[in-house]
Amino acid sequence: MLRSKSFVKRTRKGNVVKVVKEHYLRDDIPCSSQACTICEQHSPPVLSRTPRSTMNIKYPHYIIPDTNVFMNQLDIMEHPGIKDVIVLQTVREEVKHLSLPIYNRLNAMLNDSNKRFYMFANEHHRDTYLEKLKDETPNDRNDRAIRVGTQWYSNHLKSQGIETLMLSDDRANREKASATGIRSSSVRNYVEGMKDVPELLDMLAAPKDNSAEKDKIVYEEHKTAAQIANGIKKGSLVQGTLNISQHNVLEGTIYGEMDGEPRTIYILGRKNMNRCIQGDIVAVEILPKDQWKKNTSLAVEDEEDEEKMFGEESLDVNMKDVNGEDNDPDQVGEPTGKIVGVIRKKWRQYCGFIVKKSVHSKAGSTAPENVIFRAIDRRIPGVKIKTTQAHSLLGARIVVAVDSWPVNSVLPMGHFVKTLGSSGDRETETEVLLLEHDVPYQEFSKRVLDDLPVEGDQWVVTEEHLKNENRRDLRHLNVCSIDPPGCTDIDDALHVRPLENGNYEIGVHIADVTYFVKPEQAMNEEAANRGTSVYLVDKRIDMLPSLLGTNLCSLRSNVERLAFSCIWEINEDAEIINVDFAKSVILSKHSFTYEEAQNRIDDERMQDDVTKGIRVLNSIAKKLRQKRIDRGALTLSSPEVRFNLENDSQDPVDVEMKELKETNALVEEFMLLANISVAEKIYSKFPMSAMLRKHSAPPTNNFDTLRKALSEVNISLDVETSKALADSLDKAVLPNDPYFNKLVRIMTTRCMMQAQYFCSGTESEPEFRHYGLATPIYTHFTSPIRRYSDVIVHRLLQASIDPDAVYGQELIDKTKMKELCDVLNHRHRMAQQAGRSSVELYTNMFFKNKVQIEEGRVIRVLKNGFVVLAPKYGIESIVYTSKKPGEPSPFEYNEEHNSLVAGDVVIKMFDTVKVEICVEGDEQGMRQKMRMRLAEPFVEGVSELVTLKRKSSEAQSNDNNDSKQKKVKN
């Protein structure tokens, strides 16, 4: 059946044209119920022959939820207990329009055969399609379509004894359904009847308003979207991403443009944060200059009492604590503002625990009660949730979603999602850190694995690959790879050979992942979503299935592999004569570790071709590196550690700093060169849609604290250009302090901006520059096994060198490329943070039940403490200058010299101290935290060390034993 609608419209040129839209209606769309005897099922039916009933709905039934159920109660719909659900096409399309992340989660449920969710195309069925009535809103039309769809299913399956229930929290919609004889239920009423799944009650989304405190106003109302857009346009508001300090939960910053200049703007206190959470994109109004931040930051790791509901006055007190009351009116201070609106919420599900003090019911009670949830991430405020299982959740790691944050509620309101496991369990804590950093870690689905070669690990390179794919045969070359020990996902390999003219041919060969991963595949979709492999201390979360990552794509020795090669002609002075790119077949002759390759270079007895080649590569790499440094490339540093794990338990038994060798720099240099060469090539072919990587110059005020501290030791830091900064870092040396230069480089790294992927058509050429590498253009090409950006760059490069290459819209659509860059930037940032959190978890495990005194360096001075880096372990923590945070301290803060003074003891940046390191938790052990206490110099009232207490108690015990023995002798 064909319906058509015609209308006229005026074109841009002023012409009037008639437009006809045709809508095809069918009567053969199946209901997909196994119990149906009427429909002709084109594929196996999805809905069960015997759907469940509940205590409230006593007959077998299918569920048809409306759009708002998916928008507001998605966690309940994802629960394994919810099955046999009909998703109307109307609902699915409305969800897509409202929220793409929720739409993707809905599609995942439709694709999960265990869930038994079926998408019914009601907009194309003759009996369920509806025309919009006159004066009817689109929302009312869609609600009517949902009711009609429910009615059709009820009538269609009546003879089979199966009812259909419309699930809606819209009372008006339910009343209209009831008036026409359609059965309906609210989500709460429905899950209350599912007595076999009691946790569903806890998963109900919290109401949007805080009706218990209607008259209390704690926060300001947010401005409307139109007011925010107008304010940003006029320059009265600044847009940026809220980033809460790791050391102070009441101090946030955004990075945005102020008077045409990029600045860091402080947001101080919960009231000025105005119901925003870490990561939200916000609109900020700059406060008058007399309210700007003028003091050094405090360390505030937690708000005072998790159970206490702060009132308006307390929020003001928090603000004063953060900014201090002794402001110098003549001091300019740092720009400070308040949040007046949210441009985009970045709320997600949070891992954490129930605060024991907030549970007031008697043990064993299952009555619903309001409790407070604390996230593992201290930057997230407490969340109020209602639960019937408070006592059973104590001591467990749980997941909670935030639903709303009304103006009359000090804390946001949310709901329970699921339990992960017991606190302290290594597997549970690892799952927590993966969830906290939004790392997709599920096993690859069958749909993804179906895209792998059917031959499995028996797949081999054949002559067809050379003949039909225009590949170069490079199997005769002395290709080798140099990687960390135990590396199985070998992305890259190198070769060098002398040319007759005295120059060298040097090749970088990268695994040809795009041969296996095609744009239209589910595997490609999964890789794009994962974005990167994630490296934890004890495991790796792969971007691609292991058959590819560690086998068919990995450039292992003595196995023929497909590669994408970048080949230069380079002279003795490391000058590039020309560069060429080609798909190829290689045969790696050796897989070296960095140490093995270094030993080959150093052992003069080794004179084979491969070893000679490594020496040539090393010589050229040093010259390339020097050229980069001369251009202003920075050599920065970070404290990295390696754990030695016990084989059986995987517990850390030792920890050591990572040692870098010359061969690390050798490989790095040629990878950088390949990335630059490829960037130039793809930009020349795709000037509007090339995926590139930039590193912006940091604002000079990022270095203010570091420069001031260095001036105290008569060292200046010139930050005008990357070259000036690099030269200054080379000169930042103290003769009697060998670690000082590395420490300065570590601290300089923290002043840098984050490198980011971007689409070339969205930035001007001067913005392409990579500040740290001192190169005008850069991309990522060399690691396609573990980075999806490199997969895209491989496709761009292939399209750039092959005039017959066929490629899709994804390579030329500027908007889609920008969106992909944003996703990849997020995934890379989260992967880095997950890696650091894994190191922190294992460091805490290493120090569990241990107390050690180690040397440390002061890297930041706060009003009530100082941050110490322990180089041996690469860990840092706050050393408080009082027994407990907030108590009186023997130290006084000297603002002029940014130091802490207690009598003769002065603590300032770069100082060497000795600290006692141990791991402490709260009384339930829910938040394990690395603690450092000052051991040397000893300060009365601060150096209350665990080791001293132990020695004292041991000495007392020995004295008691001696006295007992004397009594026996007498």
Side-chain angles (χ1 to χ4, degrees):
M1 181 178 171
L2 176 65
R3 283 179 181 248
S4 63
K5 186 190 292 183
S6 63
F7 56 92
V8 293
K9 72 170 188 177
R10 190 181 296 277
T11 66
R12 287 182 182 177
K13 291 182 178 179
N15 300 325
V16 176
V17 295
K18 184 177 181 181
V19 178
V20 179
K21 283 193 172 180
E22 295 181 339
H23 192 89
Y24 290 90
L25 299 178
R26 297 163 50 186
D27 57 6
D28 62 343
I29 298 173
C31 68
S32 202
S33 169
Q34 294 174 6
C36 181
T37 56
I38 302 166
C39 293
E40 184 183 338
Q41 308 287 359
H42 305 300
S43 55
V46 173
L47 303 168
S48 169
R49 185 184 302 277
T50 53
R52 72 166 296 150
S53 55
T54 72
M55 293 293 288
N56 294 344
I57 316 292
K58 298 188 181 298
Y59 42 81
H61 60 274
Y62 299 140
I63 304 168
I64 296 186
D66 72 2
T67 306
N68 285 327
V69 170
F70 285 110
M71 294 303 298
N72 300 322
Q73 307 285 5
L74 188 63
D75 292 321
I76 283 182
M77 299 312 294
E78 288 178 324
H79 191 279
I82 303 292
K83 287 184 166 69
D84 295 311
V85 174
I86 299 153
V87 180
L88 297 181
Q89 181 187 355
T90 305
V91 171
R92 185 167 175 256
E93 287 177 359
E94 208 172 359
V95 167
K96 183 179 182 180
H97 174 70
L98 292 168
S99 170
L100 205 54
I102 292 177
Y103 174 73
N104 291 334
R105 287 168 69 181
L106 172 55
N107 284 340
M109 288 186 273
L110 286 165
N111 290 327
D112 184 352
S113 57
N114 293 322
K115 287 288 287 174
R116 301 201 295 271
F117 274 46
Y118 172 63
M119 205 285 287
F120 179 64
N122 65 307
E123 298 290 355
H124 290 281
H125 197 290
R126 189 172 62 185
D127 297 334
T128 56
Y129 171 75
L130 296 178
E131 291 280 4
K132 185 170 158 296
L133 302 176
K134 188 182 178 186
D135 298 329
E136 187 178 38
T137 67
N139 190 55
D140 287 344
R141 183 263 170 203
N142 289 344
D143 283 349
R144 190 160 59 91
I146 294 165
R147 294 195 297 273
V148 168
T150 309
Q151 184 79 70
W152 182 86
Y153 259 95
S154 294
N155 295 337
H156 183 72
L157 296 171
K158 202 170 192 178
S159 61
Q160 307 304 321
I162 295 174
E163 285 286 351
T164 308
L165 182 79
M166 185 182 82
L167 208 57
S168 174
D169 283 332
D170 182 343
R171 182 182 293 175
N173 198 15
R174 293 202 307 271
E175 286 172 354
K176 287 175 183 174
S178 181
T180 53
I182 299 168
R183 296 181 185 270
S184 65
S185 170
S186 68
V187 178
R188 174 173 289 279
N189 184 59
Y190 186 76
V191 300
E192 279 175 348
M194 296 178 70
K195 301 296 185 187
D196 54 326
V197 198
E199 69 267 22
L200 284 175
L201 271 174
D202 289 358
M203 295 171 70
L204 286 164
K208 298 288 182 191
D209 63 331
N210 185 20
S211 51
E213 308 260 5
K214 275 185 180 171
D215 301 326
K216 188 172 85 172
I217 299 298
V218 180
Y219 297 99
E220 285 184 22
E221 288 281 4
H222 288 152
K223 289 184 184 294
T224 64
Q227 289 172 321
I228 290 170
N230 190 39
I232 290 170
K233 190 176 180 182
K234 288 196 305 185
S236 60
L237 300 179
V238 181
Q239 176 178 330
T241 301
L242 179 63
N243 187 32
I244 308 295
S245 167
Q246 294 280 4
H247 298 310
N248 185 346
V249 296
L250 300 177
E251 180 180 288
T253 55
I254 70 159
Y255 184 72
E257 280 219 357
M258 195 176 148
D259 301 326
E261 186 186 339
R263 294 290 298 269
T264 298
I265 298 159
Y266 285 85
I267 317 291
L268 304 176
R270 284 262 179 250
K271 196 162 189 178
N272 283 340
M273 290 179 194
N274 197 4
R275 297 174 289 140
C276 290
I277 294 177
Q278 164 71 22
D280 284 353
I281 300 172
V282 297
V284 170
E285 182 181 295
I286 304 299
L287 293 171
K289 288 191 177 182
D290 62 350
Q291 295 181 41
W292 283 14
K293 180 180 185 291
K294 295 169 185 171
N295 288 334
T296 300
S297 297
L298 282 165
V300 182
E301 292 190 341
D302 272 317
E303 291 174 77
E304 299 163 48
D305 185 346
E306 288 127 329
E307 190 185 7
K308 186 178 171 185
M309 293 300 190
F310 294 109
E312 190 172 359
E313 304 76 21
S314 297
L315 291 171
D316 286 335
V317 169
N318 289 339
M319 171 69 183
K320 287 173 188 169
D321 287 344
V322 173
N323 204 16
E325 295 183 352
D326 53 344
N327 288 342
D328 179 355
D330 299 325
Q331 195 180 345
V332 176
E334 298 283 351
T336 305
K338 65 175 183 178
I339 294 172
V340 295
V342 183
I343 295 165
R344 188 185 301 166
K345 287 176 183 170
K346 290 297 185 78
W347 298 358
R348 56 178 176 81
Q349 294 181 345
Y350 301 100
C351 303
F353 56 94
I354 300 292
V355 176
K356 191 173 185 180
K357 287 181 186 175
S358 70
V359 179
H360 300 296
S361 60
K362 291 180 180 177
S365 169
T366 56
E369 65 173 314
N370 286 319
V371 297
I372 294 174
F373 162 88
R374 282 280 175 200
I376 297 295
D377 186 345
R378 294 167 189 270
R379 298 172 299 173
I380 308 303
V383 181
K384 245 195 295 188
I385 67 168
K386 198 169 201 173
T387 178
T388 58
Q389 43 182 343
H391 289 280
S392 62
L393 294 179
L394 288 174
R397 294 285 188 230
I398 67 170
V399 178
V400 158
V402 176
D403 298 314
S404 62
W405 196 341
V407 291
N408 55 1
S409 174
V410 173
L411 298 177
M413 302 164 82
H415 66 269
F416 166 82
V417 176
K418 62 180 175 181
T419 304
L420 296 175
S422 300
S423 164
D425 175 70
R426 189 177 60 250
E427 287 298 317
T428 299
E429 299 296 354
T430 298
E431 187 178 3
V432 165
L433 76 86
L434 291 171
L435 284 167
E436 275 294 284
H437 295 100
D438 194 20
V439 175
Y441 63 96
Q442 293 77 14
E443 294 293 323
F444 289 102
S445 68
K446 182 179 182 299
R447 189 164 153 260
V448 169
L449 297 176
D450 285 345
D451 289 332
L452 293 169
V454 291
E455 302 91 338
D457 58 7
Q458 300 302 307
W459 180 93
V460 291
V461 174
T462 66
E463 289 303 313
E464 297 300 311
H465 291 111
L466 286 164
K467 286 179 189 173
N468 301 339
E469 296 171 20
N470 199 22
R471 290 181 183 272
R472 286 192 202 167
D473 189 349
L474 305 180
R475 290 175 290 187
H476 59 287
L477 297 175
N478 282 324
V479 174
C480 66
S481 61
I482 306 173
D483 291 283
C487 179
T488 54
D489 53 343
I490 302 172
D491 284 290
D492 54 85
L494 294 153
H495 91 269
V496 61
R497 65 174 175 178
L499 299 174
E500 290 179 0
N501 61 4
N503 295 337
Y504 294 101
E505 177 190 275
I506 295 178
V508 162
H509 310 280
I510 306 300
D512 187 7
V513 170
T514 54
Y515 172 83
F516 299 96
V517 182
K518 306 294 185 190
E520 67 281 357
Q521 291 178 333
M523 184 157 57
N524 179 70
E525 189 183 318
E526 180 69 20
N529 178 48
R530 294 188 177 216
T532 178
S533 294
V534 180
Y535 293 84
L536 307 181
V537 169
D538 63 330
K539 66 167 80 173
R540 183 181 67 226
I541 313 296
D542 289 321
M543 182 183 83
L544 294 171
S546 59
L547 177 65
L548 295 186
T550 61
N551 190 344
L552 305 187
C553 289
S554 186
L555 305 182
R556 300 188 297 188
S557 57
N558 303 313
V559 185
E560 293 178 359
R561 287 289 179 249
L562 304 181
F564 209 151
S565 300
C566 175
I567 301 170
W568 304 273
E569 182 181 341
I570 297 181
N571 66 19
E572 278 280 2
D573 297 323
E575 293 169 339
I576 298 170
I577 310 303
N578 60 55
V579 61
D580 193 16
F581 307 96
K583 290 284 183 97
S584 61
V585 176
I586 65 166
L587 178 63
S588 175
K589 302 298 187 287
H590 210 295
S591 298
F592 292 107
T593 64
Y594 289 124
E595 190 170 2
E596 288 168 350
Q598 190 64 52
N599 291 341
R600 289 259 185 151
I601 292 170
D602 297 339
D603 189 347
E604 293 180 2
R605 294 170 300 175
M606 301 288 284
Q607 294 298 328
D608 58 281
D609 288 345
V610 173
T611 304
K612 284 179 183 177
I614 295 174
R615 290 192 186 114
V616 171
L617 290 170
N618 195 40
S619 169
I620 299 286
K622 286 178 180 177
K623 292 171 185 174
L624 287 169
R625 184 178 179 80
Q626 190 57 50
K627 284 175 185 283
R628 272 199 313 112
I629 289 168
D630 293 343
R631 291 197 305 269
L634 297 173
T635 305
L636 299 176
S637 189
S638 63
E640 293 189 83
V641 297
R642 176 184 288 117
F643 289 90
N644 296 326
L645 303 181
E646 204 169 56
N647 287 337
D648 297 331
S649 68
Q650 289 289 292
D651 287 336
V653 293
D654 195 13
V655 58
E656 60 192 34
M657 292 298 291
K658 287 183 182 175
E659 183 188 353
L660 299 180
K661 300 186 179 294
E662 247 183 30
T663 43
N664 291 70
L666 180 163
V667 174
E668 179 189 25
E669 218 50 57
F670 286 108
M671 297 307 118
L672 294 177
L673 187 61
N675 288 335
I676 293 167
S677 298
V678 170
E680 292 169 344
K681 184 68 178 178
I682 62 173
Y683 179 56
S684 68
K685 173 71 176 177
F686 295 94
M688 297 304 292
S689 61
M691 182 179 280
L692 302 176
R693 190 162 173 83
K694 68 173 181 175
H695 182 215
S696 303
T700 53
N701 66 331
N702 279 19
F703 297 94
D704 287 352
T705 304
L706 179 58
R707 291 170 78 182
K708 187 177 177 183
L710 285 169
S711 67
E712 297 273 330
V713 290
N714 300 316
I715 290 174
S716 63
L717 201 65
D718 186 346
V719 297
E720 284 304 308
T721 65
S722 62
K723 173 66 175 161
L725 178 57
D727 292 343
S728 295
L729 289 172
D730 288 341
K731 294 172 188 169
V733 176
L734 293 180
N736 301 320
D737 189 347
Y739 189 72
F740 180 78
N741 186 262
K742 181 167 185 177
L743 184 62
V744 173
R745 291 180 192 275
I746 289 170
M747 293 170 74
T748 303
T749 304
R750 298 176 185 196
C751 300
M752 292 291 136
M753 305 298 289
Q754 189 122 25
Q756 291 188 315
Y757 297 110
F758 70 101
C759 172
S760 58
T762 62
E763 304 274 1
S764 61
E765 272 198 39
E767 300 297 315
F768 290 10
R769 185 170 178 77
H770 197 293
Y771 179 83
L773 297 174
T775 178
I777 193 166
Y778 191 67
T779 194
H780 272 162
F781 163 75
T782 53
S783 296
I785 291 175
R786 60 184 179 87
R787 289 190 305 234
Y788 188 73
S789 55
D790 304 52
V791 173
I792 292 294
V793 169
H794 276 229
R795 289 176 186 154
L796 287 164
L797 182 60
Q798 176 64 10
S800 301
I801 64 172
D802 182 359
D804 300 323
V806 177
Y807 51 88
Q809 194 71 16
E810 74 278 357
L811 296 189
I812 55 176
D813 188 323
K814 184 170 78 172
T815 305
K816 284 186 178 174
M817 190 64 81
K818 181 188 180 302
E819 288 171 356
L820 179 58
C821 288
D822 291 342
V823 170
L824 296 181
N825 286 328
H826 170 70
R827 291 293 188 211
H828 277 259
R829 192 164 58 251
M830 291 297 101
Q832 285 178 328
Q833 291 175 14
R836 291 188 199 118
S837 293
S838 181
V839 168
E840 187 180 335
L841 170 63
Y842 273 77
T843 305
N844 286 354
M845 288 168 61
F846 176 74
F847 279 102
K848 196 173 182 181
N849 304 322
K850 280 194 187 96
V851 182
Q852 289 185 215
I853 292 180
E854 295 292 343
E855 192 171 272
R857 303 298 292 260
V858 178
I859 59 170
R860 187 178 177 192
V861 176
L862 304 161
K863 263 189 162 181
N864 58 341
F866 50 96
V867 181
V868 171
L869 169 70
K872 181 177 177 181
Y873 299 112
I875 55 174
E876 61 185 78
S877 184
I878 297 172
V879 176
Y880 284 101
T881 52
S882 54
K883 285 184 184 177
K884 288 183 180 176
E887 288 189 0
S889 166
F891 280 94
E892 284 189 16
Y893 177 68
N894 182 320
E895 190 159 355
E896 185 184 349
H897 297 290
N898 189 31
S899 61
L900 290 160
V901 182
D904 296 335
V905 175
V906 179
I907 302 286
K908 55 185 187 299
M909 272 174 66
F910 307 122
D911 280 358
T912 301
V913 294
K914 283 198 173 176
V915 289
E916 179 188 75
I917 306 172
C918 61
V919 171
E920 291 179 354
D922 55 22
E923 57 187 289
Q924 295 92 40
M926 296 308 291
R927 267 185 174 161
Q928 295 294 313
K929 178 73 179 171
M930 179 73 59
R931 283 282 177 225
M932 290 187 186
R933 293 181 180 84
L934 183 63
E936 290 180 20
F938 183 87
V939 176
E940 191 70 42
V942 175
S943 304
E944 298 282 324
L945 304 184
V946 174
T947 44
L948 290 177
K949 289 176 186 171
R950 280 187 184 173
K951 285 176 184 174
S952 172
S953 62
E954 284 169 9
Q956 193 174 355
S957 174
N958 290 338
D959 289 345
N960 290 340
N961 288 339
D962 288 345
S963 63
K964 283 177 187 174
Q965 286 170 6
K966 284 174 185 174
K967 283 178 185 176
V968 171
K969 285 177 184 176
N970 290 340

